[in-house]
Amino acid sequence: VNIVTKTLFKKYKTVYDYANANQPEFEQDIRSTGFYKNKAKNIIGMAQALIQKYNGKVPASMEELVTLPGIGRKTANVVLGSAFGTDVGIVVDTHVIRLSRLIGLSKNKNPEKIELDLMKIVPKNKWTIFSHLLILHGRSICIARRPKCPECPISIYCHFCKNNRSL
């Protein structure tokens, strides 16, 4: 995604650029991200909805954000926390799901239940940064196919590392 957005943000600079994008061309612009047809439809639809409902401005509430095409609780939490500095919830992506269970922070599989479990133990003013740090940890240290437990700074707290000391 970071590679794609580098080029994408040069080509499409305003909400109007996205709203008026040619869908087949836009699909090719984001093809390498996976699920590109659905993402393209949602991004273009979301931009059109922003213009129609919110005068082209991104709304600053969970209730309004989740009405936009392609925007669910996870994305709304990212937008609210990162763009508006509002900690409404914890972003629960595939890394957060996996690590929350491995580390022993939650026994749940459902993202909403994991989010509630994490919200009970992470101070509210840390919800956004916690999500970002856990995601980065999942990408760099606790990699799904080859976790680096010997290098992990939180291995003494991690249920998985404790049970797999030989890794």
Side-chain angles (χ1 to χ4, degrees):
V1 170
N2 291 341
I3 294 167
V4 169
T5 55
K6 195 173 195 178
T7 306
L8 199 69
F9 292 166
K10 289 178 184 172
K11 185 173 182 179
Y12 304 94
K13 295 182 187 246
T14 70
V15 68
Y16 299 96
D17 295 336
Y18 289 93
N20 296 313
N22 173 279
Q23 185 161 336
E25 182 180 342
F26 195 82
E27 288 172 3
Q28 293 311 306
D29 292 337
I30 65 168
R31 186 180 182 109
S32 65
T33 64
F35 305 108
Y36 63 93
K37 288 182 183 258
N38 199 39
K39 284 180 185 173
K41 182 181 122 203
N42 283 330
I43 291 168
I44 292 168
M46 182 265 312
Q48 291 169 347
L50 281 177
I51 292 166
Q52 292 167 1
K53 291 178 163 181
Y54 303 107
N55 296 320
K57 304 287 183 207
V58 176
S61 77
M62 176 68 71
E63 296 73 27
E64 292 170 309
L65 284 168
V66 297
T67 67
L68 298 169
I71 305 294
R73 184 164 179 86
K74 177 181 79 172
T75 302
N77 276 331
V78 171
V79 171
L80 292 169
S82 298
F84 292 102
T86 305
D87 290 305
V88 174
I90 293 177
V91 175
V92 180
D93 75 344
T94 55
H95 293 292
V96 174
I97 291 169
R98 183 173 55 82
L99 269 63
S100 294
R101 292 174 47 79
L102 280 178
I103 295 167
L105 302 175
S106 177
K107 292 180 180 176
N108 287 299
K109 293 181 181 178
N110 176 288
E112 288 83 15
K113 289 181 180 178
I114 292 171
E115 181 181 9
L116 290 172
D117 289 342
L118 295 175
M119 288 166 70
K120 291 175 189 169
I121 58 174
V122 177
K124 186 174 182 177
N125 67 339
K126 304 290 185 205
W127 287 352
T128 299
I129 191 65
F130 176 81
S131 301
H132 289 305
L133 291 172
L134 204 55
I135 291 165
L136 287 171
H137 185 71
R139 289 179 180 165
S140 62
I141 301 290
C142 195
I143 302 161
R145 290 191 178 98
R146 55 187 196 298
K148 303 174 183 175
C149 292
E151 299 172 36
C152 180
I154 62 168
S155 65
I156 61 170
Y157 307 107
C158 176
H159 292 189
F160 179 78
C161 286
K162 285 180 184 178
N163 293 327
N164 295 287
R165 289 286 180 213
S166 62
L167 291 177

